[in-house]
């Protein structure tokens, strides 16, 4: 495990040099949140009104948290970089090392979001406190389990995106599939909580990665309950196990098909 | 002791074919066509421990594909490979601890980190202890004279400095076999000479086996005792550099046409290794055309 800790440390060192660049994205994040604050402001007629079981503050905090996850865990390493490595042949120079390529990529990605996410979390907390008000049922004691849930969510998302990228061993371009996956997560999980959608659709949505990637962690932050927490973490563990199994299987099959340009 | 054993190795690639223009693009979508390219075709050879071997050939001859099969990156379609008694396709990770690779046209170093941080990173990757890594960095840093730039980010180094660091990074775990794929490409003559001396020194002091591919005849003359020339995926020559240099001109002299032509022009029949290699490439090209 020491080698993966060193990979993580090296990426962290590298990314800390460019921490200031992350701040450029704060403006876009602020614009998104500002639009949603206004939008939900019009939708809620009275402060006590509930929509799909959420108060106005909870609804806005939900969007702030999912957007924070989206902006703070930019997955370019697991999507564009892996697909580019396979297509361009650079993967040849990464796989002849004594580590597992997929774990190398996931560790590298973890090193990247470890710098970005805390910065976005701090910005989200400030915007929330100033423009929305404190989270109604938030308790500091639940923070560690929420953090665990967030980390699991980000990792599951990375594993699924990596699975899509690994299809580059067979097909020319995986970008359209990444686009579809991103849009599914964005529209169904990030902008609106699952409860907004028709009741008949909700069980189906809970079977998709959306439930474990963004809905679950954000739901726990805005409306924590031990039972819900257990349900979400259990689902995340199952999803992570299935995702990792798939990832290893696709990688093992794919690496045998490797064709490196220029020999 | 043989460290590399290759028997009847072959590798075929399927390359997509597309006709010209928009019509060709549409046809390629509806009826995709592929062409079989035999990159390596029945190659067999062995390499002894501590040997410095030049594995050369024209572009597209199958050199890099062979190296990638020897290092476990590509899977052969046929034949057998054994490097240090290990089958690279089955135990790539185990083999990785015992071999080093330098690809002159690719970077393995993290460009935003210093060479020192990079070496520590590679030490950990190869499961060296902190103490072993530090001792090895000190030893190699002295040997490769890295002292003045070991704490400068790699992105700010000159190409010559970077290649020296690339070689050190691939030696950090004391590999038994070092694969060098065009290590001196793009370097000026002084830096090239310096790199060659360092490789030579390392081979003598650590008895590392060197498997070199290069288009630079200077690399081959300075470093290697044995040369293998490949073309169209086949071995066309496997000889010692000395033997080739001394006997190829005799063979050439036996060719009456060449002899007469040289006499007419008043040329000497003694030729350089570069000319010998060029002639072999050209004769292979002529055979292929026929």
């Amino acid at each position: 495990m020491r080698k993966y800790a060193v990979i993580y440390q090296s990426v962290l060192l590298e990314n800390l040099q460019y921490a200031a660049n992350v701040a450029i994205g704060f403006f876009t994040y602020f614009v998104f949140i500002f639009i949603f604050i206004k939008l939900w402001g019009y939708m809620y007629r009275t402060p006590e009104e509930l929509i799909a079981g959420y108060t106005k503050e909870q609804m806005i905090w939900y969007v702030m948290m999912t957007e924070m996850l989206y902006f703070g865990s930019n997955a370019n390493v697991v999507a564009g970089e892996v697909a580019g490595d396979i297509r361009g042949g650079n993967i040849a120079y990464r796989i002849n090392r004594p580590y597992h390529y997929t774990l190398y990529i996931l560790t590298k990605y973890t090193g990247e979001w470890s710098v970005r996410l805390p910065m976005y979390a701090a910005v989200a907390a400030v915007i929330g406190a100033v423009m929305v008000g404190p989270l109604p049922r938030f308790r500091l004691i639940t923070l560690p389990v929420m953090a665990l849930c967030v980390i699991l969510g980000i990792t599951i998302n990375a594993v699924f995106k990596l699975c899509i990228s690994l299809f580059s061993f067979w097909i020319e371009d995986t970008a359209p599939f990444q686009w579809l996956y991103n849009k599914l997560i964005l529209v169904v999980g990030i902008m609106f909580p699952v409860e907004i959608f028709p009741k008949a659709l909700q069980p189906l949505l809970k079977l998709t990665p959306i439930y474990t990637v963004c809905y679950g962690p954000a739901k726990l932050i805005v409306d924590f309950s031990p039972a819900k927490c257990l349900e979400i973490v259990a689902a995340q563990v199952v999803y992570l196990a299935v995702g990792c199994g798939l990832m290893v299987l696709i990688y093992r099959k794919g690496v045998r098909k490797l064709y490196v340009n220029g020999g | 002791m043989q460290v590399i054993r290759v028997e009847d190795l072959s590798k075929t690639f399927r390359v997509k074919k597309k006709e010209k223009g928009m019509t060709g693009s549409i046809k390629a979508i509806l009826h995709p066509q592929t062409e079989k390219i035999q990159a390596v075709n029945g190659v067999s050879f062995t390499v002894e421990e501590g040997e410095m071997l030049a594995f050369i050939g024209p572009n597209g001859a199958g050199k890099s594909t062979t190296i990638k099969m020897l290092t476990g990156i590509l899977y052969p379609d046929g034949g057998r490979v054994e490097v240090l008694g290990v089958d690279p396709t089955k135990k790539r990770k185990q083999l990785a601890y015992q071999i080093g690779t330098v690809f002159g046209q690719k970077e393995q170093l993290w460009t935003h980190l210093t060479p020192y941080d990079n070496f520590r990173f590679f030490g950990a990757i190869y499961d060296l202890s902190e103490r072993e890594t530090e001792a090895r960095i000190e030893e190699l840093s002295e040997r490769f004279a890295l002292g003045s730039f070991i704490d400068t980010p790699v992105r700010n180094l000159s190409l010559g400095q970077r290649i020296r660091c690339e070689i050190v990074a691939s030696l950090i775990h004391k590999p038994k076999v070092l694969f060098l794929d065009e290590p001196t490409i793009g370097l000026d003559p002084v830096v090239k000479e310096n790199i060659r001396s360092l490789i030579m020194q390392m081979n003598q002091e650590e008895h590392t086996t060197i498997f070199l591919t290069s288009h630079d005849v200077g690399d081959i003359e300075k470093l290697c005792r044995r040369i293998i020339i490949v073309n169209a995926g086949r071995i066309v020559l496997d000889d010692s550099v000395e033997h080739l240099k001394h006997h190829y001109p005799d063979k050439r002299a036996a060719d009456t046409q060449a002899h007469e032509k040289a006499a007419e022009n008043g040329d000497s029949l003694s030729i350089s290794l570069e000319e010998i290699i060029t002639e072999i490439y050209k004769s292979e090209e002529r055979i292929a055309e026929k």
Side-chain angles (χ1 to χ4, degrees):
Chain A
M1 279 313 281
R2 188 169 82 93
K3 62 182 78 177
Y4 295 104
V6 173
I7 295 170
Y8 175 78
Q9 196 187 6
S10 302
V11 182
L12 206 63
L13 270 175
E14 201 172 53
N15 277 272
L16 281 172
Q17 293 180 48
Y18 299 99
N21 295 1
V22 177
I24 297 165
F26 292 165
F27 177 71
T28 322
Y29 177 74
F30 176 77
V31 171
F32 264 76
I33 298 306
F34 183 77
I35 292 168
F36 275 99
I37 289 173
K38 291 290 167 202
L39 180 76
W40 287 115
Y42 287 117
M43 301 287 279
Y44 282 88
R45 277 161 297 187
T46 60
E48 295 80 28
E49 189 184 352
L50 293 176
I51 297 180
Y54 290 76
T55 64
K56 189 173 103 179
E57 284 78 19
Q58 280 179 321
M59 191 63 90
I60 297 171
W61 271 102
Y62 175 89
V63 177
M64 280 186 18
M65 290 300 105
T66 51
E67 290 287 357
M68 174 197 83
L69 288 172
Y70 184 78
F71 278 86
S73 61
N74 182 318
N76 186 42
V77 172
V78 284
E81 195 177 311
V82 171
D85 272 355
I86 297 170
R87 274 204 314 272
N90 264 348
I91 192 170
Y93 311 99
R94 304 248 169 101
I95 60 175
N96 69 338
R97 303 261 173 234
Y99 52 61
H100 200 283
Y101 176 71
T102 54
L103 289 182
Y104 163 80
I105 289 292
L106 288 176
T107 311
K108 203 174 165 196
Y109 172 59
T110 308
E112 283 192 5
W113 69 251
S114 301
V115 175
R116 295 172 65 91
L117 193 69
M119 292 171 76
Y120 272 94
V123 170
V126 171
I127 296 175
V130 173
M131 298 177 73
V132 190
L135 257 168
R137 292 165 63 185
F138 179 77
R139 282 182 302 150
L140 209 59
I141 199 163
T142 57
L143 203 60
V145 76
M146 284 178 191
L148 171 75
C149 199
V150 165
I151 292 169
L152 282 171
I154 292 175
T155 311
I156 293 166
N157 188 39
V159 167
F160 279 97
K161 286 183 79 69
L162 187 52
C163 285
I164 298 173
S165 297
L166 289 175
F167 279 108
S168 297
F169 282 118
W170 291 274
I171 55 174
E172 294 262 329
D173 193 5
T174 52
F177 299 101
Q178 293 284 4
W179 187 87
L180 274 175
Y181 176 84
N182 284 343
K183 292 303 163 263
L184 182 78
I185 297 278
L186 185 76
V187 175
V188 186
I190 291 180
M191 289 182 179
F192 310 102
V194 169
E195 291 88 345
I196 287 273
F197 294 92
K199 278 225 162 16
L201 208 63
Q202 287 180 26
L204 198 73
L205 290 176
K206 284 184 179 176
L207 286 175
T208 66
I210 296 158
Y211 184 70
T212 51
V213 168
C214 50
Y215 167 81
K219 173 78 179 170
L220 279 188
I221 294 171
V222 300
D223 188 17
F224 185 87
S225 78
K228 194 83 187 162
C229 175
L230 208 67
E231 185 190 315
I232 290 167
V233 172
Q236 283 181 320
V237 170
V238 172
Y239 252 89
L240 193 60
V242 172
C244 287
L246 256 174
M247 179 184 77
V248 171
L249 189 76
I250 298 170
Y251 176 75
R252 275 193 191 159
K253 293 262 176 207
V255 84
R256 297 188 73 94
K257 303 268 299 176
L258 181 64
Y259 162 68
V260 180
N261 293 326
Chain B
M1 185 194 145
Q2 288 175 347
V3 288
I4 300 177
R5 251 191 264 173
V6 176
E7 275 172 40
D8 208 18
L9 189 68
S10 60
K11 177 77 184 172
T12 312
F13 290 123
R14 282 207 161 271
V15 180
K16 277 192 179 166
K17 274 187 82 179
K18 188 184 92 65
E19 288 172 30
K20 280 185 284 185
M22 183 59 88
T23 327
S25 298
I26 294 165
K27 266 189 188 174
I29 296 169
L30 299 173
H31 299 287
Q33 284 188 326
T34 55
E35 187 186 3
K36 245 185 172 185
I37 306 268
Q38 187 80 45
V40 176
N41 189 3
V43 164
S44 301
F45 63 90
T46 57
V47 181
E48 293 293 324
E49 188 184 358
E51 199 176 342
M52 294 177 93
L53 167 76
F55 193 76
I56 64 164
N59 292 330
K63 312 178 291 288
S64 294
T65 304
T66 306
I67 281 202
K68 286 183 183 110
M69 286 193 279
L70 293 178
T71 52
I73 294 167
L74 295 179
Y75 287 70
D77 292 337
R80 262 168 54 94
V81 186
E82 223 178 77
V83 180
L84 296 158
V86 172
D87 181 343
T89 56
K90 289 182 183 147
K91 292 180 176 169
R92 179 171 51 205
K93 205 170 155 187
Q94 188 188 320
L95 181 66
Y97 284 102
Q98 301 186 69
I99 61 166
T101 47
V102 175
F103 296 93
Q105 300 192 63
K106 299 278 176 187
E107 284 180 357
Q108 60 176 331
L109 300 172
W110 295 52
T111 52
H112 299 292
L113 301 182
T114 64
Y116 177 77
D117 287 334
N118 268 288
F119 302 150
R120 280 180 58 85
F121 169 79
F122 283 104
I125 293 297
Y126 287 101
D127 295 334
L128 300 185
S129 69
E130 295 260 342
R131 228 159 117 200
E132 283 172 315
T133 309
E134 285 299 333
R136 188 71 174 151
I137 292 174
E138 205 181 313
E139 182 193 345
L140 291 171
S141 164
E142 203 175 300
R143 192 182 292 169
F144 282 69
L146 309 181
S148 60
F149 54 87
I150 198 161
D151 293 320
T152 308
V154 171
R155 64 174 186 273
N156 297 333
L157 300 181
S158 70
L159 183 62
Q161 290 171 330
R162 188 178 67 76
I163 293 289
R164 264 146 77 189
C165 292
E166 292 274 355
I167 295 175
V168 168
S170 60
L171 291 174
I172 209 91
H173 58 296
K174 290 191 182 171
K176 290 179 184 142
V177 182
L178 184 63
F179 292 92
L180 299 167
D181 194 354
E182 302 195 44
T184 59
I185 194 164
L187 300 175
D188 72 52
V190 178
V191 179
K192 270 185 189 178
E193 199 52 38
N194 180 250
I195 299 275
R196 286 168 194 156
S197 303
L198 292 168
I199 295 171
M200 181 69 98
Q201 192 189 350
M202 193 198 58
N203 166 261
Q204 283 163 358
E205 287 174 11
E206 295 189 3
H207 215 52
T208 315
T209 308
I210 307 287
F211 192 98
L212 169 83
T213 73
S214 179
H215 288 297
D216 190 320
V217 178
D219 290 347
I220 300 159
E221 273 193 303
K222 173 88 188 188
L223 294 171
C224 304
R225 290 212 188 98
R226 183 176 156 208
I227 187 168
I228 291 181
I229 300 180
V230 281
N231 189 39
R234 288 179 178 279
I235 291 181
V236 293
L237 184 134
D238 184 349
D239 205 347
S240 76
V241 174
E242 277 307 301
H243 187 267
L244 183 68
K245 268 161 83 174
H246 291 113
H247 290 84
Y248 192 81
D250 297 344
K251 196 181 152 201
R252 195 182 186 233
D255 176 345
T256 347
Q257 268 188 335
H259 192 70
E260 280 169 7
K261 205 175 164 190
E264 265 173 35
N265 298 336
D267 291 343
S268 161
L269 274 170
S270 75
I271 54 170
S272 67
L273 184 62
E274 182 156 14
E275 286 172 305
I276 295 172
I277 291 169
T278 312
E279 280 203 8
I280 293 171
Y281 284 5
K282 280 184 179 168
S283 88
E284 282 300 316
E285 223 172 80
R286 283 195 293 273
I287 293 167
E289 275 169 17
K290 277 179 194 170

